[in-house]
Amino acid sequence: MSTASSESASDATASSGPILRPKPVRCGGTVFFKVEEIVFEVPRYRFAEHSEVFEAMFQLPAGTDGTVEGRDEDHPIELKGYKAIHFNSLYKVLYPTYLRIGKG
């Protein structure tokens, strides 16, 4: 009797169509910022989410030489006139859980 109910349960699952799976979360990669003499590598999704300026900047095409500002450590987005300590504080606000990984 338990076998029959197991079979009917598996038949119902198989006949109900494809299994729905959650869509993968895409963070949009990383972006490199240079503040003072420090290059920060950070996830870019919150910068785009909270700033129309960064969102538009991240969608610009590559320059004539093929480089994209912020895409790698050699071509960071330079934030002139700002302090690295202040950018680090902004990073902590935007990504608080990243700072807690591996810390007791």
Side-chain angles (χ1 to χ4, degrees), residues 99-104:
L99 300 174
R100 293 193 179 110
I101 294 174
K103 294 184 178 181

Side-chain angles (χ1 to χ4, degrees), residues 9 12 37 63 68 81 88 97 102 104:
E37 294 303 314
V68 177
N88 194 55
T97 56

Side-chain angles (χ1 to χ4, degrees), residues 25-33 39-51 54-55 58 70-71 77 79 87-88 90-99 101:
V25 176
R26 302 208 188 273
C27 295
T30 60
V31 64
F32 294 83
F33 290 99
V39 176
F40 293 85
E41 179 181 0
V42 298
R44 74 181 207 176
Y45 71 97
R46 291 242 170 100
F47 286 92
E49 179 180 60
H50 296 293
S51 170
F54 284 121
E55 181 180 16
F58 296 153
R71 185 164 293 167
I77 297 170
L79 300 178
F87 185 84
N88 194 55
L90 174 64
Y91 178 76
K92 287 179 184 180
V93 170
L94 291 176
Y95 303 99
T97 56
Y98 278 64
L99 300 174
I101 294 174

